[in-house]
Amino acid sequence: MTGPVLVGLRGVGKSYGSVEVLRDINLDIHHGEVVVVLGPSGSGKSTLCRCINRLERVDAGTITLDGRPLPAEGRELARLRADVGMVFQSFNLFAHRSVLENVLLGPMRVRGLSRREAEPTARRLLDRVGVADQADKLPAELSGGQQQRVAIARALAMGPKLVLFDEPTSALDPEMVHEVLDVMTTLAREGTTMVVVTHEMGFARRAAHRVVFMSEGRIAEEGTPEEFFDHTATDRARDFLSKVLQH
């Protein structure tokens, strides 16, 4: 069961030059909810994620976190990024730092914890995502799947209210995809609030409370996984599913 609204988007629009990437987006994300965002390439899915944690400014409308508008800059923005974790498709780990140091960095620099305070949690999270034995290695010594699990641990180390996943498996070899999705499925079951942009339909069916389908910068359809996959309401979504479910 999900709780009260954590993130609220009202009339959100975003353009790059003359190209409208997001158009009049209205969406609530509730505490404890897993929202999976689907749609064809270029439909605005990743931009939606980047606007929620203010990596991109919106051109129209408002986004609130726990009822408060997203801050524009400064210390408040750093706090927002701590409260809204993000896992990218390309891992974005610091290559010259060990796995453990990658996870420690945020809690020490942003949350102001000492290493002694932060390290037990960091090691517990690495264990939780199945890479505790890799703590002293550099990212380049790990597989892609292991690196992405470290990135998930790094996001969780901040104690975020929400974790955004932007196509977290699209850069992985097929055999590594399931190990990352397994970790994400466990997080979903444990009540982590998540917004997941993905092409993994099995994960959407299994882990989502709600599926949001985007097309041409708009939310074209949304509903439970059963509603979306078994009783698709729009031609655009039917066309999308007919293509992705054939493979």
Side-chain angles (χ1 to χ4, degrees), residues 58-76:
V58 300
D59 297 320
T62 59
I63 302 178
T64 57
L65 179 70
D66 270 338
R68 299 173 61 184
L70 298 191
E73 56 194 19
R75 201 170 287 174
E76 287 295 315

Side-chain angles (χ1 to χ4, degrees), residues 29 34 61 85 94 98-99 104 132 136 152 199 205 238 242-243:
I29 298 153
V34 178
F94 293 106
S98 72
V99 163
L104 285 171
D136 297 325
I152 293 171
H199 292 290
R205 268 191 182 273
R238 270 192 289 276
S242 72
K243 289 170 180 168

